[in-house]
């Protein structure tokens, strides 16, 4: 089957199932082989070396579509299936636009529009993608492994909560403006043994920094959408300029982290289980198989928002 993926999370899952797309979006960068495939989308929004506030300003100035779909290139690839999403209009080409483009092709490919809003939805999409591309057995095997890892986190979290309680947790997927992460993130905080009450029960939403201060999280995880670990550290540095940042309990107790949002949290692929394991390490480092200091996608940040020196890592891995 010839599959075109317009969604980074779907591209990741397709590769995990042994299916190489014939074309991808400009944001598809994992695994590395995805970067070598024909690109079917583009955007005029400039992300490289731009601050969170600058990118937000560009998005607010958009008059029309944020992303463009190259229909001529798509037609030349003759896909049997297009995979897109309907969860977030600022993350990929709008699903209605993809369906309209598919109808203009001859023959018209099928369209699979993913729309995950919970952690379970994201895992179930592995099954949906597998069935759509004729790899149901591979999807079942991958899901069995993922659910085993989730079960292991759940067991560790139960022990950690019994020992330490549930830390008040704040996960942000943008910093200027501050945006608290929604959809599957609330479920992940719960599974990882945190208090998820700060996270919205629905889509991500902007909040005043005063609301973050009022919540006074005991653990702060900043995973800006589309930013890698180093750019996340820079974004936290900007957040640290807000009055009261260094008074947050998470900051005072060295439980503030900048995380690779591009590889973790933002994309609802099978790699959300990697994200769950990383989140558990941030919330309960003494109970984690991989504490934050041993995870190269996670940086502990200091009161000034810069990367803090890593504490020594326990020999038993927690």
């Amino acid at each position: 089957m010839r599959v075109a993926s317009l969604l980074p999370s779907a591209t990741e899952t397709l590769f995990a199932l042994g299916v190489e797309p014939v074309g991808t979006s400009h944001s598809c960068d994992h695994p590395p082989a995805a970067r070598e495939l024909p690109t079917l989308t583009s955007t005029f929004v400039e992300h490289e070396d731009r601050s969170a506030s600058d990118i937000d300003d560009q998005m607010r100035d958009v008059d029309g579509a944020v992303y463009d779909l190259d229909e001529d290139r798509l037609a030349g690839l003759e896909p049997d299936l297009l995979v897109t999403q309907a969860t977030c209009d600022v993350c990929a080409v709008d699903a209605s636009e993809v369906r309209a483009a598919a109808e203009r092709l001859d023959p018209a490919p099928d369209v699979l529009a993913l729309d995950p809003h919970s952690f379970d939805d994201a895992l179930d999409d592995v099954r949906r993608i597998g069935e759509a591309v004729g790899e149901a057995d591979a999807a079942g095997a991958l899901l069995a492994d993922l659910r085993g890892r989730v079960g292991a986190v759940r067991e560790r979290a139960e022990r950690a909560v019994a020992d330490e309680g549930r830390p008040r947790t704040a996960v942000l997927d943008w910093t200027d403006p501050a945006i608290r992460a929604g959809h599957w993130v609330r479920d992940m905080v719960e599974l990882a043994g945190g208090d998820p009450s700060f996270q919205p029960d629905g889509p991500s939403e902007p909040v005043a920094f005063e609301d973050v201060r009022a919540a006074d999280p005991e653990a702060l995880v900043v995973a800006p959408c589309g930013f890698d670990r180093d750019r996340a550290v820079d974004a936290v540095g900007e957040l640290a300029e807000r009055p009261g940042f260094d008074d947050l309990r998470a900051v005072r107790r060295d439980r503030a982290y900048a995380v690779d949002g591009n590889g973790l949290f933002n994309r609802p692929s099978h790699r959300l289980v990697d994200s769950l394991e990383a989140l558990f390490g941030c919330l309960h480092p003494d109970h984690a198989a991989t504490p934050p200091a041993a995870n190269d996608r996670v940086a502990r940040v200091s009161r000034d928002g810069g990367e803090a020196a890593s504490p020594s890592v326990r020999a038993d891995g927690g």
Side-chain angles (χ1 to χ4, degrees):
M1 178 178 289
R2 296 178 64 79
V3 184
S5 173
L6 306 181
L7 185 63
S9 60
T11 298
E12 296 174 5
T13 298
L14 286 165
F15 270 96
L17 298 178
V19 177
E20 181 174 304
V22 296
T24 64
S25 80
H26 66 282
S27 299
C28 294
D29 56 9
H30 182 86
R35 302 171 185 171
E36 307 301 321
L37 300 176
T39 301
L40 297 168
T41 66
S42 61
T43 180
F44 65 85
V45 176
E46 297 182 5
H47 296 82
E48 196 68 28
D49 298 325
R50 298 300 183 100
S51 68
S53 60
D54 187 7
I55 295 172
D56 184 71
D57 288 342
Q58 292 182 66
M59 297 293 287
R60 290 176 183 275
D61 288 342
V62 170
D63 183 14
V66 177
Y67 301 99
D68 291 323
L69 176 63
D70 189 332
E71 293 190 33
D72 289 338
R73 175 172 281 189
L74 178 63
L77 294 175
E78 300 181 339
D80 303 304
L81 176 69
L82 292 179
V83 185
T84 186
Q85 60 90 42
T87 305
C88 177
D89 290 342
V90 301
C91 295
V93 180
D94 183 83
S96 60
E97 182 181 342
V98 175
R99 290 191 180 95
E103 292 175 357
R104 289 191 287 269
L105 299 180
D106 186 20
D110 292 329
V111 176
L112 175 62
L114 306 175
D115 192 20
H117 293 277
S118 69
F119 186 75
D120 284 342
D121 287 347
L123 292 190
D124 193 53
D125 278 345
V126 174
R127 176 192 58 79
R128 294 185 65 206
I129 293 172
E131 291 176 349
V133 300
E135 293 292 345
D137 289 346
L142 177 56
L143 275 171
D145 175 70
L146 295 173
R147 295 194 187 283
R149 290 167 59 192
V150 172
V153 171
R154 183 180 285 110
E155 290 178 4
R156 285 179 177 268
E158 289 174 355
R159 294 195 296 269
V161 169
D163 288 346
E164 305 169 347
R166 289 184 176 272
R168 293 192 309 277
T169 302
V171 181
L172 303 180
D173 60 18
W174 203 248
T175 53
D176 196 356
I179 297 179
R180 54 183 174 180
H183 297 303
W184 44 86
V185 173
R186 186 182 178 95
D187 298 338
M188 291 168 62
V189 173
E190 178 80 23
L191 283 167
D195 175 352
S197 57
F198 180 76
Q199 309 308 137
D201 187 13
S204 299
E205 60 183 23
V207 293
F209 188 69
E210 288 73 18
D211 295 325
V212 180
R213 291 179 59 189
D216 195 17
E218 296 168 286
L220 173 66
V221 178
V222 181
C225 188
F227 281 14
D228 61 17
R229 174 186 177 277
D230 291 343
R231 292 193 69 191
V233 171
D234 293 341
V236 177
E238 297 171 2
L239 191 68
E241 296 175 1
R242 307 283 186 92
F245 175 84
D246 57 358
D247 291 328
L248 295 175
R249 191 168 307 196
V251 177
R252 290 189 284 109
R253 295 186 175 184
D254 295 326
R255 292 289 178 87
Y257 303 95
V259 177
D260 176 1
N262 192 51
L264 301 173
F265 290 95
N266 304 155
R267 298 177 178 180
S269 75
H270 64 289
R271 291 204 296 162
L272 272 188
V273 176
D274 296 347
S275 308
L276 176 65
E277 292 167 341
L279 179 61
F280 177 64
C282 294
L283 303 189
H284 297 285
D286 291 338
H287 290 264
T290 304
N295 191 330
D296 61 7
R297 293 176 180 267
V298 177
R300 191 167 59 87
V301 294
S302 61
R303 293 192 176 198
D304 63 1
E307 184 172 354
S310 297
S312 59
V313 180
R314 287 170 51 176
D316 64 359

